[in-house]
Every structure is written in C-alpha cells, then in structure tokens.
Amino acid sequence: MRQKNNSEKMLLILVFLSGSVLWARGNGEKSAIPENLLVIPPLLEYKTASDGTREYELTIIEGTSRFFPDKNTPTLGYNGNILGPTIRVRENDRILVKLKNTLDEPTTLHWHGAHVPAQMDGGPLQAVAPGETWEPFFTIRQPAATLWYHPHLMGTTAEQVYRGLAGLLIIDDEHSDSLPLPDEYGINDIPLITQEREFLNDKTFRYRPSRPDLMHGYFGNALLVNGTLEPEFPVREDLLRFRILNGSNSTVLRYFFEDNSTFYQIATDGGFLAAPVPLQSLVLSPGERAEILVDFTTLKKGESRIFQGETNGGQIYRILNLPVEVKSNRGYKIPETLGVSYEPVVTAGLPKRQFVLSSMGMGGNLTINGRRMNMNRVDERIPRGQQEVWEIINQGMGMMNLPHSFHVHDIQFQIIDINGSPPPHHLKGPKDTVLLWPGDRIKILVRFDDYLGKYMYHCHFLEHEDQGMMGVLEVINRNDS
Ligand code: C2O
Ligand code: CU
Ligand code: CU
C-alpha cells in the first residue's frame, strides 16, 4: 500500500472536509486517496426554500469502488460510488429529500430510527419505481442522535444494502450543543459505518447468498469501514468521539481496542445515555448504533491504538488504525453526566403484547408470532399515545439456534428487562433495535405518538427480514380501538 507522510494526510483530511472532491474512489481513475486512509462521508449540502425547508438531493449511482490495486468492484451509492453522504440536521428542522431512483429496479429510502409520518417512513409500502423521484418531507421531532438511512424494499433490502446503499442521518439539538463533547465532524467526531463483506476470488464482492446463508445470514471475509478496507485515521492527542453503525447484513460485531483500553459509551441508537458508561467492549447487531468517547490524551505522538471488531463467527478484523499524529489538545474530558435521565418505569397495569421470533422448521421458516410478512395484513393495531410493554422472545429451538433482533419503526423504545434483570447501563438509552440471542426474553416499553398509519417491525438481520421476518403495525386513534 502506498504510504503518505503526515502532512499529506492532514491535507487530504482538510480536502475531504471542504466537501468538494474525492468521495469514494471509483471508475478506475487514479485517486488522491491512499488505499489505507479512512474516508469520511461528506456532509450533504442543502438549499433552503423560501419557507425555511432544507432541501436535499440523493441520487443513486451505479458506480465502482476499488479495494485492491487494479481491481474494481461494482457498488451502489447515493451521490457517489459507495454509501451516501451524511445528512446532518437539527431538531425542529423541516426537511425535504429528493431521492432519484436511477436503478432499473424499485427501491425505497427508509429513515431508520426517525420519528416521521408513516407515508414518509420509506418502508416496504413506499416503493420508488425505476426512474422515479420520491420526495419525502418531515419535521425533525426528536432529540440529538445518530440515525441512518437505507433501502427497505420487500425482498431486496439485503442486496441493495450489501451493494453499498446506506448513509448516516445525524441530529443535533440545543442539548447536544451544550454538552462539552467533541463535535467537529470528521476531525474529532468520526462516523464509522462498519460492514462485513465477502470478497470472492476475483477480489470483488457481489450479493449471492446460498440457501444456508439465507438462514444463518450472509457473512464475509473482510470488514469495510466507511467503504474503506483496513483504513488508518491519524488522530489528535485528545478525546475522540466515534459514531458507530453496524451496517452489516447479518453479522453481529463486538467492538474493542487491541490493547483492551477502556472507552466510554455516551449514546445508544436514539440519543444520549444518562452518563458515560465505561466499557472494554461493545456489541452491536445489524442496524444498531453507539457513540463512544476514546481518550487519546495519554498517548504520545507516534503511538497508536487499533480498533477491532470480532464477528459472532469468531473472525477478528482490524477496523481502524489510530496513530496519534497531531498534538492539539482541546481539553475535553469525559463528562460526569450527559444531562438526561431515564426514570425507573412502573409497568404494572400497562397493556402487553408478545412477539415470538422463531427460526423453526427444516424449510427454514423465519416467523414472528408464527407468521411471515404480508404487506396487505395489519398484525398489530396500537392506539396512539398508549404506553405498552412488549415482550420479545427469541425461541431458540434445537438445531436452529439463531440470533435475531427486533427493530421498530417510528419510535425509540426503552429496554426494561433482559431475561429477568434490568438492562446494563449502556442499554438504558433510547433504542430502536435490540439483539436477542437464542432463548433471550426482552421487555421493552413503547409508545407511538403524533402520527397514525402503518409502520414495520422486524428482525434487522437483512437476510431474515427479506424472507419475511417482519410484521405491519398500525397506529390508530384511541377511540377506534
Ligand atoms: Cu433499518 Cu425497517 O429498518
Ligand atoms: Cu427502521
Ligand atoms: Cu432474525
């Protein structure tokens, strides 16, 4: 691999941040990005309409990406060759996104973790035909968080995501502004989209799962980080914040530093924790996010740390090499608290529902409550504004002991019980996706506010989701129930 000296690297970082060029190497051209430097997805620019709406444009590109010398892989991206730009908005912003589907197949654009009207959600019910432009608009009505967007068409989500379609949606608010946390995007506030991929003998990746892969999930032999392979990111001798997304199809990842150094989780899927939680390792299933702080102030220039990921298959990947190259301490400290609190919940007397995730049967039937997805059916009707306790059970059965997860659209929920115990501190923040190992029983507290209409709940292992491990819920008026 071609090496750059430090000043060249820093210059490249500045070039990325200016947002002008060089997103995702592609089309076989010589590129200024060394193979091993972390790519930071650019922030998506917007136009402000006369009524104040921020207008964004996303166009799907059938491009190519280069992970090995002289080897191009066909990939998909929004506005680029792979992945998509980061959309960064504030609470109360009104936004409009124009998605142009240039593919010769339908797609959708789903706002994972976002509280948006049902028609804007971009789930399987909002297909965008080839050549069409879809223009969802909504107001951001939720606190600061790291969310993401991805296609969600019934049956082809796994393939479209695998080929490269995914991006981050970051929300800021007054509270996040007020916290003394690193927040310079791409400098000390670093997005990390981690995705396992399988490079074939010809050094390209394509989506071609076998039948067993559809059951166990489509895994791989390499980990892409922001669409880069084994990248390096020169850091300051300072506190660093990572926003981590496990964007893999079905790979559960455990994140840790090679030297086992402690880091601090500050946010879950949908927002801040009450206080930073010290951890040596952190598990995310597909779709889950975490924000962490890492202290580099004890390292000297020239020293480095290696961030790693271990899959549930036991494979260990290098995620990121982090050499300390700039002496520039901004004086950030791990804060004592993050200024939010999550009250202990009284759940007695609340309405209950149960969701049994099952991977039974030789035919590989993946079901929720014994059913597979039917877009024309409503599985659950939920009165708006009603607090409920949902129990999710991963029915581990004989040979088919598969992990699953449970993701709900439109809301953030609170985990109240895992196998009879309260959740660990780092799972006490707002969540939209939760992992269940075989046999796990998890209780969550849910409430759907503001919007009526149909949303999805499903296992977020994309191979499972595509095979129908999903249901439709409808938020209804209290009086109609
Ligand atoms: Cu990330 Cu229903 O999806
Ligand atoms: Cu979602
Ligand atoms: Cu599953």
Side-chain angles (χ1 to χ4, degrees):
M1 283 186 190
R2 205 158 72 89
Q3 297 293 330
K4 289 262 177 200
N5 69 32
N6 299 345
S7 56
E8 275 175 316
K9 278 178 187 159
M10 286 320 292
L11 183 70
L12 282 168
I13 289 169
L14 291 175
V15 171
F16 298 154
L17 291 169
S18 74
S20 46
V21 282
L22 294 178
W23 165 235
R25 304 178 292 283
N27 296 327
E29 296 145 23
K30 276 253 172 346
S31 154
I33 305 177
E35 301 292 337
N36 63 337
L37 193 63
L38 180 72
V39 172
I40 304 292
L43 294 174
L44 185 57
E45 313 252 312
Y46 58 90
K47 289 199 215 87
T48 308
S50 50
D51 67 351
T53 302
R54 289 177 167 210
E55 295 181 355
Y56 293 93
E57 281 177 33
L58 291 175
T59 302
I60 299 179
I61 308 275
E62 296 191 62
T64 54
S65 300
R66 173 165 294 185
F67 303 98
F68 298 95
D70 305 319
K71 259 301 168 197
N72 288 328
T73 297
T75 48
L76 296 180
Y78 297 103
N79 301 358
N81 285 293
I82 190 170
L83 297 174
T86 298
I87 302 178
R88 189 159 196 172
V89 296
R90 294 185 64 80
E91 191 179 20
N92 300 320
D93 275 352
R94 188 178 156 82
I95 74 169
L96 166 81
V97 181
K98 298 182 187 174
L99 169 75
K100 190 159 172 28
N101 179 13
T102 59
L103 301 174
D104 52 16
E105 63 183 57
T107 189
T108 81
L109 181 62
H110 169 56
W111 311 102
H112 179 127
H115 176 47
V116 299
Q119 309 84 318
M120 308 297 165
D121 180 58
L125 301 174
Q126 284 93 39
V128 188
E132 295 226 317
T133 299
W134 185 55
E135 304 194 2
F137 55 89
F138 47 86
T139 301
I140 305 294
R141 296 170 100 170
Q142 69 194 96
T146 305
L147 313 181
W148 66 302
Y149 59 91
H150 63 79
H152 207 311
L153 197 77
M154 199 56 229
T156 56
T157 298
E159 175 162 15
Q160 291 184 1
V161 172
Y162 192 85
R163 291 171 68 190
L165 292 181
L168 292 179
L169 171 65
I170 296 179
I171 301 175
D172 300 304
D173 64 10
E174 278 176 20
H175 177 63
S176 65
D177 287 352
S178 74
L179 292 173
L181 295 173
D183 61 356
E184 293 168 78
Y185 183 79
I187 304 241
N188 58 13
D189 181 354
I190 317 292
L192 293 180
I193 304 172
T194 54
Q195 302 174 295
E196 196 185 34
R197 290 291 177 269
E198 183 187 28
F199 283 94
L200 307 171
N201 288 336
D202 66 358
K203 295 260 199 302
T204 69
F205 67 80
R206 292 183 290 275
Y207 189 68
R208 40 175 225 192
S210 64
R211 270 195 68 80
D213 287 340
L214 293 177
M215 269 315 267
H216 297 280
Y218 196 45
F219 301 121
N221 52 19
L223 196 75
L224 298 185
V225 186
N226 298 349
T228 330
L229 200 55
E230 292 206 343
E232 169 170 310
F233 186 78
V235 300
R236 293 172 175 177
E237 192 185 321
D238 202 352
L239 208 60
L240 218 63
R241 173 188 194 169
F242 292 118
R243 299 176 189 253
I244 308 167
L245 161 67
N246 182 354
S248 302
N249 277 31
S250 286
T251 311
V252 179
L253 282 163
R254 185 175 72 86
Y255 300 82
F256 61 104
F257 285 90
E258 191 187 35
D259 64 0
N260 271 315
S261 47
T262 300
F263 54 89
Y264 297 82
Q265 186 172 348
I266 55 170
T268 45
D269 298 332
F272 288 111
L273 289 158
V277 179
L279 296 171
Q280 255 107 41
S281 97
L282 164 70
V283 173
L284 297 178
S285 68
E288 288 185 287
R289 289 87 61 210
E291 294 182 31
I292 63 168
L293 295 177
V294 193
D295 188 355
F296 280 88
T297 58
T298 55
L299 270 70
K300 293 187 191 65
K301 195 165 181 288
E303 296 182 326
S304 64
R305 243 180 216 149
I306 291 169
F307 196 41
Q308 293 184 317
E310 180 181 12
T311 69
N312 49 331
Q315 178 75 40
I316 295 181
Y317 296 115
R318 169 181 289 203
I319 295 176
L320 202 53
N321 182 26
L322 296 151
V324 175
E325 300 202 342
V326 192
K327 187 164 175 60
S328 159
N329 195 326
R330 302 277 163 114
Y332 287 115
K333 298 219 164 48
I334 308 287
E336 295 279 306
T337 113
L338 295 162
V340 283
S341 69
Y342 301 98
E343 315 294 319
V345 207
V346 183
T347 57
L350 294 182
K352 291 184 171 53
R353 288 173 210 258
Q354 207 178 53
F355 297 84
V356 179
L357 313 177
S358 162
S359 23
M360 276 204 329
M362 294 299 285
N365 235 350
L366 299 160
T367 56
I368 302 181
N369 289 342
R371 291 192 294 261
R372 296 173 82 151
M373 169 75 163
N374 177 342
M375 300 222 288
N376 302 313
R377 185 183 64 213
V378 172
D379 297 281
E380 305 289 334
R381 289 196 167 74
I382 300 155
R384 175 168 59 184
Q386 173 165 292
Q387 220 167 28
E388 304 190 351
V389 174
W390 291 7
E391 185 179 29
I392 330 293
I393 300 169
N394 180 355
Q395 200 177 54
M397 287 287 265
M399 287 168 56
M400 275 306 161
N401 265 327
L402 301 175
H404 293 293
S405 66
F406 192 77
H407 168 54
V408 195
H409 287 207
D410 185 43
I411 59 160
Q412 294 292 327
F413 55 76
Q414 191 179 346
I415 300 176
I416 46 187
D417 184 296
I418 301 180
N419 299 324
S421 307
H425 288 299
H426 74 280
L427 288 177
K428 285 184 178 164
K431 294 285 293 169
D432 57 53
T433 307
V434 63
L435 169 65
L436 294 100
W437 296 107
D440 276 356
R441 293 172 161 259
I442 295 185
K443 286 189 187 144
I444 62 176
L445 187 71
V446 308
R447 195 180 71 210
F448 292 81
D449 289 321
D450 302 319
Y451 310 121
L452 301 175
K454 291 177 188 167
Y455 297 94
M456 307 296 136
Y457 59 88
H458 56 91
C459 174
H460 212 290
F461 290 52
L462 300 186
E463 279 70 37
H464 295 176
E465 172 182 339
D466 270 351
Q467 287 175 85
M469 204 170 188
M470 174 152 41
V472 179
L473 67 85
E474 184 174 6
V475 183
I476 57 171
N477 253 313
R478 261 172 194 270
N479 308 335
D480 303 343
S481 56

